[in-house]
Structure formats: structure tokens, C-alpha cells
Amino acid sequence: MALSFMLSWQVKHVPAEFYPVVRYNVLMLPLILAANIALATAFIRANDVVKNLPLVAAVQSFTYYFFIVVFTIFLVGEKLSVGRAVVGFSLMAAGIWILKK
């Protein structure tokens, strides 16, 4: 969730120029590191429980993109096609279901 929030915040508030993007990423480095450590720990623990790493990665990707859509709508203020979003998430859910077998 933190990584998708940071991406959405950057799109909304950081100019698309080299130095502002570098500055933002350097300032966010501690948060990025903490989020990646938490993500790696969650992957290890989830894989110990589920014993299916592709499934764990697919669920994480589904969750990440879900939060990207939510933050895009509420933070960035963009309008998305609900139909296309539903189709996209349905395809991801079908892939997760297939990996679960």
C-alpha cells in the first residue's frame, strides 16, 4: 500500500523533470526501503503458509494494482473506466484462481 501511495503522490505533486524526481526518490528512500523489507518479510511468511510462491506474488500484484486504482481515483483525481478496471481485475482474479490449483 505504501509503494502505491508514493507512486500516486509522485504523479500528483512532483513535476516530470529529472531533478525533482531524483529529489523525491532520494527523500523517499527510507520509506521505500522499509516498504520493501516489509514486502519481502510478507512474501517469506506467506510462502511458508501457502507453499505456492506464484500465487503469493499474484495476490500481491492484485493488491498493489487495486491500491493504484484507488489512489488514482481519490488522490490523483483521474477518472477511470469502471468497466475496463473490472475486466482487468477479473482477469487477474482468474489468473490467481488458476495458480491456486
Side-chain angles (χ1 to χ4, degrees):
M1 185 169 112
L3 294 173
S4 55
F5 178 80
M6 288 172 42
L7 176 66
S8 300
W9 184 267
Q10 179 178 348
V11 167
K12 176 78 174 181
H13 298 287
V14 178
E17 298 168 6
F18 181 75
Y19 290 110
V21 171
V22 169
R23 181 178 181 272
Y24 176 79
N25 281 284
V26 167
L27 291 173
M28 292 295 118
L29 202 53
L31 185 56
I32 292 170
L33 179 63
N36 280 322
I37 290 169
L39 186 60
T41 303
F43 264 97
I44 293 167
R45 289 184 179 171
N47 191 51
D48 285 345
V49 172
V50 178
K51 304 283 191 242
N52 187 345
L53 185 59
L55 175 63
V56 171
V59 170
Q60 185 276 331
S61 296
F62 183 89
T63 305
Y64 173 75
Y65 287 114
F66 173 78
F67 280 111
I68 286 287
V69 168
V70 169
F71 291 140
T72 297
I73 293 169
F74 293 110
L75 182 66
V76 178
E78 290 186 10
K79 296 186 184 216
L80 300 175
S81 167
V82 174
R84 287 183 180 188
V86 168
V87 168
F89 281 111
S90 297
L91 289 171
M92 284 191 283
I96 290 171
W97 182 78
I98 289 169
L99 286 173
K100 189 174 78 170
K101 295 291 181 177

